[in-house]
Amino acid sequence: MMSSTEEVAWDQDIARSGDVLKRSLQNVLSCSVRDEAQVHVASLNAAKWTISKSAKTSNALPDFLALHLSEALRAMPRTDDDLISIRDALGTLLPHVTWINRQAQTDQDSAFVERHRHGIIAGPGGLLECSTLTLGLALMMPQTCYPYHQHPPAEFYLVLSPGDWYREDVGWWTPGVGGVVFNFPSCIHAMKSTNVPLLALWGLMH
């Protein structure tokens, strides 16, 4: 059990890392020429979050996936200041997030279910409470395909490791590490890992 001094220090570390993550994400998205980028930048700028009351108890990442997370974080480039800041902020936040997996729908191959997790950083059920957006980290084992799906909120992904992405109006493409993927509301989209784990930050506007 933490002392009151330790709790204050923990809260400060989490809050500081959350602010660094938000600011660095805004910087990356601001560099995009896509109109959608500015909508998400504005959403991040307007987001107000506080540490969840249940933040000190989280649904931990299974060991076999924790190894892939460590591998992907180690492989992130160290030449871009914003990506370095994002990696460092994630190092503080991720041990305390709740990890969830998405179940397969009736017409989908269920092979991906145990091969992926989402770490909920901000938003409903997240480490940081926020009413206007959900921010998470997607992790998939190598050679895993996240099935075609759609949802009403607009979405972005900041790609943090190699992988392939699909959107109905584009088809499959490889954005590369540091690339940004935008999914407009209710579009059909998917992603798949290659021979290394797929890691990406994603945001959904409420």
Side-chain angles (χ1 to χ4, degrees):
M1 187 173 180
M2 292 185 185
S3 67
S4 58
T5 302
E6 289 171 330
E7 286 193 4
V8 169
W10 186 87
D11 286 352
Q12 290 174 340
D13 283 346
I14 297 298
R16 186 183 307 113
S17 295
D19 288 343
V20 168
L21 181 63
K22 183 195 294 186
R23 185 168 58 251
S24 299
L25 266 175
Q26 287 177 287
N27 290 343
V28 173
L29 294 175
S30 294
C31 293
S32 173
V33 298
R34 296 289 298 270
D35 292 340
E36 301 98 319
Q38 301 314 311
V39 174
H40 290 287
V41 169
S43 177
L44 282 165
N45 187 55
K48 306 296 182 186
W49 52 42
T50 57
I51 299 172
S52 169
K53 293 183 174 65
S54 60
K56 293 180 179 65
T57 58
S58 63
N59 183 18
L61 190 64
D63 289 344
F64 70 95
L65 281 168
L67 293 173
H68 292 296
L69 175 61
S70 297
E71 177 187 346
L73 290 171
R74 285 196 306 269
M76 282 181 61
R78 300 171 184 267
T79 54
D80 181 282
D81 289 344
D82 287 315
L83 289 183
I84 291 171
S85 295
I86 286 169
R87 186 198 63 219
D88 291 345
L90 289 175
T92 299
L93 298 171
L94 290 181
H96 309 289
V97 306
T98 292
W99 293 90
I100 62 172
N101 58 357
R102 177 178 175 273
Q103 297 302 306
Q105 297 177 6
T106 54
D107 59 343
Q108 295 173 343
D109 182 356
S110 63
F112 81 100
V113 173
E114 290 305 319
R115 298 176 63 83
H116 85 284
R117 290 293 190 280
H118 292 287
I120 308 302
I121 297 170
L127 171 62
L128 301 167
E129 295 179 346
C130 183
S131 62
T132 58
L133 63 81
T134 301
L135 186 67
L137 189 79
L139 172 67
M140 296 200 310
M141 293 175 62
Q143 306 299 334
T144 301
C145 186
Y146 198 91
Y148 298 100
H149 64 287
Q150 59 189 139
H151 42 69
E155 176 183 47
F156 75 84
Y157 283 93
L158 171 59
V159 181
L160 301 178
S161 72
D164 297 327
W165 303 77
Y166 175 89
R167 196 177 68 210
E168 61 182 24
D169 61 324
V170 178
W172 285 99
W173 84 103
T174 305
V177 177
V180 182
V181 174
F182 297 103
N183 293 321
F184 53 86
S186 299
C187 73
I188 298 172
H189 56 283
M191 57 189 176
K192 59 184 177 183
S193 56
T194 58
N195 60 339
V196 296
L198 183 147
L199 188 68
L201 269 167
W202 53 266
L204 286 172
M205 294 188 297
H206 296 174

